[in-house]
Amino acid sequence: MSKDKDKLKDYHNKRDFDMSPEPRGDQNFSEDELIFVIQKHNAGNLHYDFRLEVDGVLKSWAIPKGPSTNPDDKRLAIPTEDHPIEYAAFEGVIPEDQYGAGEVIVWDMGSYENTSKKEDASFSMETALQKGHITVYLQGKKLEGGYALIRTGSNENSRWLFMKMKDDKADARRNPVSTEPKSVISGKKIEDLKKDKKDD
Ligand code: MN
């Protein structure tokens, strides 16, 4: 338990939970299957936060351009601090002066399976993270099929690339980031939250 608390140290240090509606987080597992979530986050710079449940927390990457269903696209993915499991359901407005201030919607969510391996050896997610070579099979509402997250350098702060793997769910003609902008939870677009904020 204290181990999981340590994992969320950065997350907790960056936020004031009296000010931010974000969850503090005390749940260290999800219900049945491992979950993933992609949050669209307008923090001045618009980006997509890709999060995978690993060992009681959500491992996180910020993807400026968002995911692509085209295997030819390699999207920059910048690692960010671990988030609590409850964050997967977070949608709302982070107030001004708070870390990550701006609107957040749940752009996609679902379950995932770890498919990481090299030659014939399968890797745990923890090992795959260490090796900087993760493959997962996503079952979301917008994204499905195999995706890879590959670290481009050897140190902890190296950038990663996020890309669709070639399979029957790959589709170079789809562009869900632009054609499917709504939250899979509320049906709201991120612009709707901005309007809600102004109406307060
Ligand atoms: Mn973010």
Side-chain angles (χ1 to χ4, degrees), residues 39-43 45 47-49 51 62 80 83 87 100 104:
Q39 278 148 325
K40 185 176 180 180
H41 184 188
N42 179 29
N45 64 325
H47 61 274
Y48 292 76
D49 289 300
R51 311 188 198 280
T80 59
H83 279 52
Y87 207 90
V104 177

Side-chain angles (χ1 to χ4, degrees), residues 40-191:
K40 185 176 180 180
H41 184 188
N42 179 29
N45 64 325
L46 188 70
H47 61 274
Y48 292 76
D49 289 300
F50 180 64
R51 311 188 198 280
L52 288 172
E53 178 184 357
V54 180
D55 199 18
V57 292
L58 296 174
K59 290 283 165 189
S60 300
W61 292 261
I63 304 178
K65 288 187 175 172
S68 173
T69 53
N70 181 349
D72 290 337
D73 293 337
K74 291 172 176 55
R75 296 285 160 87
L76 174 66
I78 302 152
T80 59
E81 77 275 19
D82 294 351
H83 279 52
I85 297 292
E86 292 96 323
Y87 207 90
F90 176 71
E91 184 163 296
V93 181
I94 302 169
E96 277 171 49
D97 304 330
Q98 295 301 302
Y99 180 73
E103 303 81 31
V104 177
I105 61 164
V106 177
W107 185 80
D108 197 16
M109 80 183 305
S111 62
Y112 85 89
E113 217 176 289
N114 173 26
T115 55
S116 305
K117 62 179 177 193
K118 198 167 193 181
E119 277 128 39
D120 278 339
S122 293
F123 292 152
S124 68
M125 282 299 286
E126 289 81 357
T127 305
L129 272 163
Q130 272 169 13
K131 290 185 183 289
H133 198 290
I134 297 170
T135 63
V136 288
Y137 195 91
L138 304 181
Q139 282 183 307
K141 294 194 166 134
K142 293 174 184 169
L143 300 188
E144 280 188 291
Y147 281 81
L149 262 166
I150 309 297
R151 194 172 54 214
T152 59
S154 54
N155 78 63
E156 230 179 57
N157 299 315
S158 299
R159 293 174 164 204
W160 296 60
L161 294 172
F162 182 71
M163 66 202 90
K164 181 77 195 77
M165 293 166 74
K166 288 179 184 161
D167 59 23
D168 62 341
K169 306 294 183 193
D171 187 346
R173 293 161 305 176
R174 271 184 77 198
N175 186 4
V177 159
S178 63
T179 63
E180 299 174 55
K182 291 178 183 172
S183 162
V184 295
I185 290 184
S186 63
K188 287 182 176 179
K189 292 183 189 173
I190 203 153
E191 294 80 8

